[in-house]
């Protein structure tokens, strides 16, 4: 693996951040989590479960991206030494 490979990987990861609009996904999570605070949220159990699954799905995606970002950072640091 070369320095150029690592730079390319980091650039591609940055592009994914913009393509998948992580900031928008974080806002979506916040909006969905606000719904769960509503006292009437659990009145429709099916709908509540759908919202919770959607929150989990988005969080899983974000966590996967953050893991890739961390691994790229570690790869870059390891390569420098």
């Amino acid at each position: 693996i070369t320095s150029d490979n690592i730079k390319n990987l980091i650039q591609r990861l940055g592009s994914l951040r913009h393509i998948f609009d992580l900031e928008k996904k974080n806002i979506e999570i916040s909006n969905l989590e606000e719904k769960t605070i509503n006292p009437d949220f659990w009145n429709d159990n099916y709908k509540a479960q759908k919202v919770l699954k959607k929150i989990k799905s988005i969080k899983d995606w974000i966590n996967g991206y953050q893991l890739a970002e961390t691994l790229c950072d570690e790869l870059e640091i390891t390569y420098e030494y």
Side-chain angles (χ1 to χ4, degrees):
I1 193 160
T2 66
S3 173
D4 288 338
N5 293 130
I6 295 170
K7 286 178 186 175
N8 186 317
L9 185 60
I10 291 169
Q11 287 174 345
R12 290 170 52 195
L13 190 61
S15 294
L16 285 176
R17 180 179 193 87
H18 296 293
I19 290 170
F20 293 114
D21 202 354
L22 288 183
E23 288 74 22
K24 183 178 176 183
K25 289 188 183 309
N26 282 317
I27 291 169
E28 186 176 1
I29 288 171
S30 293
N31 291 339
L32 290 170
E33 286 177 337
E34 275 186 38
K35 289 182 179 183
T36 66
I37 297 170
N38 185 333
D40 296 328
F41 178 73
W42 289 104
N43 288 349
D44 184 344
N45 207 15
Y46 176 75
K47 188 175 176 181
Q49 289 298 322
K50 273 182 75 172
V51 170
L52 293 176
K53 285 180 183 180
K54 176 105 174 153
I55 291 170
K56 183 183 178 329
S57 173
I58 297 169
K59 283 185 176 183
D60 287 346
W61 195 94
I62 290 172
N63 290 338
Y65 176 85
Q66 289 172 336
L67 175 61
E69 198 171 48
T70 299
L71 292 172
C72 281
D73 290 343
E74 289 177 6
L75 179 62
E76 187 175 32
I77 291 168
T78 302
Y79 183 80
E80 289 173 0
Y81 292 105

